[in-house]
Amino acid sequence: QVQLVESGGGSVQAGGSLRLSCEASTYTYGSYCMAWFRQGPGKEREGVARIDLPSGVTSPTDSVKDRFTISRDNSKNTLYLQMNNLKPEDTAMYYCAAAYDSTCYLDLSPKRYSLWGQGTQVTVSS
């Protein structure tokens, strides 16, 4: 069974950068989308950015589109999230996920994703 393992989280000051990685144990064959989500303390899980497969078209949310970049290296079965100019409000647990239903092309709702990693914590101090 495919597993997703995130890494790269940590503590940074505002304005800093981090790159998150999400390695799949095997090729996520059959997935239509992969995405990054986050969940802050006391908040609902929200979508951060999505990459459609196999096209590679990316869809970041408005709050991060000028700062975060999602990408994928198929040769390494790895999904990335490059985060620049981090802000305290970016503090959250970050999760990667894969969707096996093409309705994932419609939006960035967590309900469309069936495979999840365990998460990696990002903390941004002011």
Side-chain angles (χ1 to χ4, degrees), residues 9-118:
S11 297
V12 296
Q13 291 189 329
S17 299
L18 285 173
R19 188 177 80 155
L20 306 184
S21 299
C22 171
E23 184 174 0
S25 56
T26 62
Y27 182 68
T28 49
Y29 181 79
S31 60
Y32 288 91
C33 307
M34 293 195 73
W36 287 96
F37 294 84
R38 66 186 180 186
Q39 188 166 15
K43 298 182 180 180
E44 294 186 353
R45 190 168 297 187
E46 64 172 352
V48 174
R50 182 184 90 231
I51 185 165
D52 295 346
L53 303 173
S55 67
V57 173
T58 62
S59 302
T61 56
D62 288 343
S63 63
V64 306
K65 65 181 181 180
D66 296 327
R67 302 183 294 122
F68 293 7
T69 302
I70 186 172
S71 62
R72 174 181 163 102
D73 186 334
N74 290 331
S75 67
K76 297 181 179 180
N77 294 334
T78 302
L79 182 74
Y80 300 100
L81 184 68
Q82 177 66 45
M83 305 186 294
N84 298 327
N85 191 21
L86 282 159
K87 303 176 180 180
E89 51 263 42
D90 295 318
T91 294
M93 184 72 80
Y94 282 71
Y95 301 89
C96 67
Y100 292 85
D101 187 323
S102 61
T103 58
C104 64
Y105 296 153
L106 299 176
D107 56 35
L108 198 49
S109 170
K111 67 182 180 181
R112 306 191 188 283
Y113 291 76
S114 57
L115 181 64
W116 292 83
Q118 83 290 347

